């Protein structure tokens, strides 16, 4: 009975015995004629009938077998069918199931949607998620966040054809009532739009090009405050606070950030082998322009020499570990965040603001824009910067960075 068939008067019947605990509700077994004496064809038809019966058994057991899951199951069977006769049979079974749904739910819309999904009239969004995620070239952290947001979207809109700008707007309103902020909504839309652009290339009929256009209204009276620049004395105060807390590694990180303008992740991934007597080589950066050499300011040379000598893992900032996003700076970001908060600084001042301070100081000291861009790893703009200013000499950059001064004590 592995094929669930019984031959009766030259016709094959599909049969399935109901588990004993459910026989009082569903009967002893399911039986239905396949309408054919051809065993091969009858076997295919029986497989569809048995599949439907098993769903009913699971429902009777109280398990989650939603209309969606059943429709998807039928759709897969229809896609696997090779002969026109089998496709016709499956389509008939789908119609029968839709009628049963209508009788049990009293909803015409539910029955119509079931048929649309089961016959392929609607396109599932979920199968595209893995393909889209695989082609993303963003940071691991961003890829994970985008994936979570796109999954949230697909759970709300399982079918491509059901998405429209009004429905997306209504969804965002619902998220807002659940406490999701405007900034979080904007982030969610970024991930959703990336996913949508990927799927749009497949030319799915009825798919709108951009259902996310202006779905979030901007409050023009409320402007996001830009990041602020640390004053030189504020940097020294933070450094001293780290010293007072015996957090020497954080103090060293602050001093290096102040005198190099390097990003925190760049500093945390510098290897001992990347440092010479007078230069730090940044080999790991968020942009191609970020791959650069930075002259070592005289005030932090003793710090760097000490870090090189005491390193136990080959990194200048020794003892840190990589997180799941392959970032080595996570712990230091948190430590700096707690430090600056305790010093009375708000959200507009972060470690990256040390970079702003260095740039501002060099601008005020009359350093050329191209030299500053070379030191901090900014892409050179304009025809002159992109075509003619290729490599700036180490001596020129060193002279520029030596113009930077902070009121640190003699021994940093």
């Amino acid at each position: 009975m592995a094929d669930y068939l019984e031959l009766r008067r030259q016709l094959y019947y599909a049969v399935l015995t109901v588990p004993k605990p459910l026989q009082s509700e569903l009967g002893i077994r399911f039986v239905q004629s396949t309408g054919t004496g051809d065993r091969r064809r009858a076997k295919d038809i029986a497989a569809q009938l048995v599949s439907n019966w098993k769903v009913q058994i699971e429902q009777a057991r109280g398990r989650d077998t939603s209309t969606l899951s059943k429709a998807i199951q039928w759709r897969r069977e229809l896609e696997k069918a090779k002969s026109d006769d089998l496709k016709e049979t499956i389509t008939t079974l789908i119609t029968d199931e839709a009628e049963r749904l209508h009788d049990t739910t009293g909803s015409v819309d539910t029955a119509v949607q079931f048929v649309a999904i089961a016959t392929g009239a609607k396109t599932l969004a979920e199968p595209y998620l893995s393909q889209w995620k695989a082609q993303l070239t963003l940071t691991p952290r961003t890829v994970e966040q985008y994936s979570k947001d796109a999954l949230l979207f697909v759970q709300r809109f399982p079918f491509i054809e059901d998405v429209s700008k009004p429905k997306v707007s209504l969804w965002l309103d619902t998220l807002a009532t659940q406490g999701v902020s405007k900034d979080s909504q904007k982030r969610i839309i970024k991930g959703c739009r990336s996913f949508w652009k990927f799927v749009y290339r497949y030319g799915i009929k009825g798919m709108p090009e951009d259902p996310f256009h202006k779905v979030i209204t901007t409050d023009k009276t409320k402007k996001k405050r830009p990041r602020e620049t640390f004053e030189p004395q504020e940097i020294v105060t933070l450094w001293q606070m780290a010293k007072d807390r015996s957090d020497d590694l954080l103090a060293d990180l602050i001093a290096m950030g102040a005198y190099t303008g390097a990003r925190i992740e760049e500093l945390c991934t510098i290897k001992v082998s990347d440092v010479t007597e007078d230069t730090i080589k940044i080999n790991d950066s968020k942009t191609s322009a970020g791959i650069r050499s930075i002259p070592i300011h005289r005030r932090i040379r003793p710090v760097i020499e000490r870090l090189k000598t005491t390193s136990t893992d080959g990194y200048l900032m020794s003892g840190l570990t990589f997180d799941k996003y392959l970032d080595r700076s996570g712990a230091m970001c948190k430590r700096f965040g707690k430090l600056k908060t305790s010093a009375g600084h708000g959200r507009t001042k972060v470690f990256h603001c040390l970079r702003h301070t260095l740039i501002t100081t060099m601008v005020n000291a009359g350093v050329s824009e191209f030299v500053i861009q070379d030191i901090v790893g900014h892409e050179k703009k304009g025809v002159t910067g992109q075509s003619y200013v290729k490599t700036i000499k180490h001596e020129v950059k060193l002279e520029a960075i030596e113009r930077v001064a902070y009121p640190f004590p003699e021994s940093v």
Side-chain angles (χ1 to χ4, degrees), residues 341-412:
T341 299
S342 65
H345 299 297
R347 295 184 178 181
T348 57
K349 287 187 177 179
V350 295
F351 189 90
H352 199 80
C353 296
L354 299 178
R355 183 176 172 86
H356 296 188
T357 302
L358 179 87
I359 293 172
T360 301
T361 303
M362 286 194 290
V363 169
N364 290 334
V367 178
S368 163
E369 178 184 5
F370 295 132
V371 175
I372 295 174
Q373 291 169 342
D374 221 44
I375 291 172
V376 299
H378 282 166
E379 183 181 357
K380 297 182 179 71
K381 303 295 183 180
V383 175
T384 302
Q386 293 182 347
S387 302
Y388 299 104
V389 182
K390 297 298 183 182
T391 303
I392 295 175
K393 293 181 179 180
H394 171 80
E395 293 77 11
V396 175
K397 291 192 289 185
L398 178 60
E399 190 276 331
I401 212 163
E402 287 290 351
R403 297 187 193 184
V404 176
Y406 300 96
F408 280 104
E410 280 302 316
S411 177
V412 177

Side-chain angles (χ1 to χ4, degrees), residues 32 45 47-53 55-56 67-81 84-103 108 110-122:
Q32 184 171 328
I45 295 171
Q48 317 310 318
L49 291 168
V50 169
S51 177
N52 186 33
W53 292 334
V55 169
Q56 293 181 48
T67 301
L68 171 59
S69 64
K70 287 188 291 182
I72 292 172
Q73 187 177 6
W74 280 113
R75 179 171 179 168
R76 287 170 180 165
E77 296 298 336
L78 188 60
E79 289 171 348
K80 288 190 297 183
D84 290 339
D85 286 344
L86 182 55
K87 289 179 180 178
E88 184 178 348
T89 300
I90 294 173
T91 302
T92 301
L93 293 171
I94 290 171
T95 303
D96 292 343
E97 176 63 15
E99 290 175 355
R100 190 186 69 80
L101 268 175
H102 177 248
D103 292 340
V108 174
T110 299
V112 170
Q113 187 182 56
F114 177 87
V115 172
I117 298 165
T119 58
K122 287 192 175 183

Side-chain angles (χ1 to χ4, degrees), residues 265 268-269 284 315 320-328:
E265 180 63 18
C268 291
T269 53
D284 186 3
Y315 287 93
L320 304 178
T321 57
F322 288 94
D323 63 17
K324 65 178 181 178
Y325 305 109
L326 302 180
D327 287 342
R328 203 167 180 270

Side-chain angles (χ1 to χ4, degrees), residues 208-247:
E209 184 173 358
D210 186 6
F212 309 104
H213 182 61
K214 294 184 177 180
V215 290
I216 298 179
T217 56
T218 303
D219 185 355
K220 295 182 179 180
T221 63
K222 184 180 179 182
K223 294 184 178 180
K224 188 175 180 179
R225 293 183 64 188
R227 286 176 177 171
E228 299 179 76
T229 301
F230 281 114
E231 294 297 326
Q233 182 56 56
E234 291 176 334
I235 295 175
V236 175
T237 299
L238 290 170
W239 173 85
Q240 188 62 59
M241 288 175 64
K243 281 288 189 181
D244 293 342
R245 297 181 180 188
S246 299
D247 194 343

